[in-house]
């Protein structure tokens, strides 16, 4: 079946540090890939997405590139801020199926 | 425009009681999804509807769980009878169509004692 494996947390970084959260996937069909973010006490918000190989999704300084050859979609940001503290979820959706399959989430804490 | 609205935000109940969670999707969205988030299992899809019709309920854990969508602006997820292992955060999400972005509500945090 479909599955997403992402970096175990929690991750703690200092402000302005470089961030990478790893995500790899297994899919039964051709997937679209997503990163969602969950701030404390809130629902999930779409952060970025990519729908085909070599596409790069980007938003709010975050970016991730759809790598079909390594089945990966790693999230990166060059300089994190305290306001980036949240839980980040990698997810996939196979063409023809509306179901989102999520990874376990990575809790990120940025300290000033 | 208001986002997905869920109620209640928090629910504490005793084992054996009936629990009803409510969701109002974003106006104009044809798809509605119910997800459950637990520490052990992460985020998992329970059921989703298209134009008020259930399309995939394979994630519904057992017969104690039921979901309905009587009209385009309202859905319920019911647990009867509730058990402590049902304690979780339940999210509702909606989208405009096939392959479109799913927008999540703030969730209902359920605690079954």
């Amino acid at each position: 079946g479909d599955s997403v494996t992402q970096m175990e947390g929690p991750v703690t970084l200092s402000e302005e540090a470089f961030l990478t959260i790893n995500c790899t996937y297994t899919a039964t069909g051709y997937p679209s890939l997503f990163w969602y973010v969950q701030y404390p006490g809130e629902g999930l918000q779409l952060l970025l997405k990519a729908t085909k190989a070599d596409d790069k999704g980007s938003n709010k300084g975050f970016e991730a590139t759809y790598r079909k050859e390594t089945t990966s979609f790693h999230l990166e940001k060059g300089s994190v801020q305290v306001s980036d503290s949240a839980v980040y979820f990698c997810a996939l959706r196979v063409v023809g199926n509306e179901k989102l399959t999520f990874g376990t989430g990575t809790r990120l804490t940025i300290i000033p | 425009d208001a986002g997905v609205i869920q109620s209640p935000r928090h629910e504490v109940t005793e084992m054996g009681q009936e629990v009803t969670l409510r969701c109002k999707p974003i106006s104009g969205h044809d798809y509605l999804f119910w997800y459950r988030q637990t520490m052990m299992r992460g985020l998992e899809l329970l059921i989703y509807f298209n134009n008020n019709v259930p399309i995939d309920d394979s994630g519904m854990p057992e017969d104690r769980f039921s979901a309905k969508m009587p009209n385009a602006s309202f859905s319920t997820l019911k647990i009867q009878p509730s058990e402590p292992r049902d304690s979780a955060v339940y999210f509702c999400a909606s989208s405009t169509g096939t392959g479109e972005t799913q927008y999540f509500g703030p969730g209902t945090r359920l605690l079954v004692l």
Side-chain angles (χ1 to χ4, degrees), chain B residues 48-87:
Chain B
Y48 77 91
F49 296 83
N50 179 24
N51 290 322
N52 314 336
V53 176
I55 303 300
D56 183 353
D57 65 353
S58 60
M60 295 285 264
E62 48 197 274
D63 292 345
R64 298 185 297 106
F65 285 69
S66 62
K68 295 182 180 179
M69 192 164 186
N71 57 63
S73 59
F74 183 65
S75 177
T76 60
L77 178 67
K78 186 174 294 186
I79 309 172
Q80 167 63 17
S82 58
E83 297 183 1
R85 60 192 168 122
D86 302 329
S87 299

Side-chain angles (χ1 to χ4, degrees), chain A residues 34 36 38 41-46 49 89 93 97-100 102-104, chain B residues 9 31 33 35 37 43 45 48 91 95 97-102 104-106:
Chain A
F34 306 83
Y36 277 81
Q38 184 179 26
E42 298 183 13
L44 280 72
Q45 302 173 26
L46 179 66
K49 67 179 182 181
F89 293 89
R93 182 175 60 209
N97 190 337
E98 294 306 303
K99 174 184 174 181
L100 279 170
F102 287 91
T104 53
Chain B
R9 293 293 308 274
Y31 284 82
F33 306 81
Y35 289 88
Q37 184 180 35
L43 264 165
L45 178 68
Y48 77 91
F91 289 103
S95 71
T98 303
E100 296 300 321
T101 298
Q102 294 180 24
F104 282 72

Side-chain angles (χ1 to χ4, degrees), chain A residues 13-87:
Chain A
L13 295 173
S14 297
E15 203 166 21
E16 299 184 3
F18 184 86
L19 168 71
T20 300
I21 301 178
N22 290 337
C23 172
T24 57
Y25 66 88
T26 303
T28 54
Y30 199 99
S32 293
L33 303 173
F34 306 83
W35 278 100
Y36 277 81
V37 58
Q38 184 179 26
Y39 297 104
E42 298 183 13
L44 280 72
Q45 302 173 26
L46 179 66
L47 180 60
L48 54 84
K49 67 179 182 181
T51 58
K52 61 182 188 295
D54 299 326
D55 270 2
K56 177 184 285 188
S58 61
N59 186 25
K60 299 181 181 180
F62 291 89
E63 57 183 34
T65 301
Y66 187 142
R67 300 287 188 201
K68 187 177 179 183
E69 62 275 14
T70 54
T71 61
S72 64
F73 193 54
H74 305 321
L75 182 68
E76 296 182 336
K77 186 175 185 183
S79 177
V80 292
Q81 306 300 314
V82 172
S83 57
D84 295 327
S85 298
V87 181

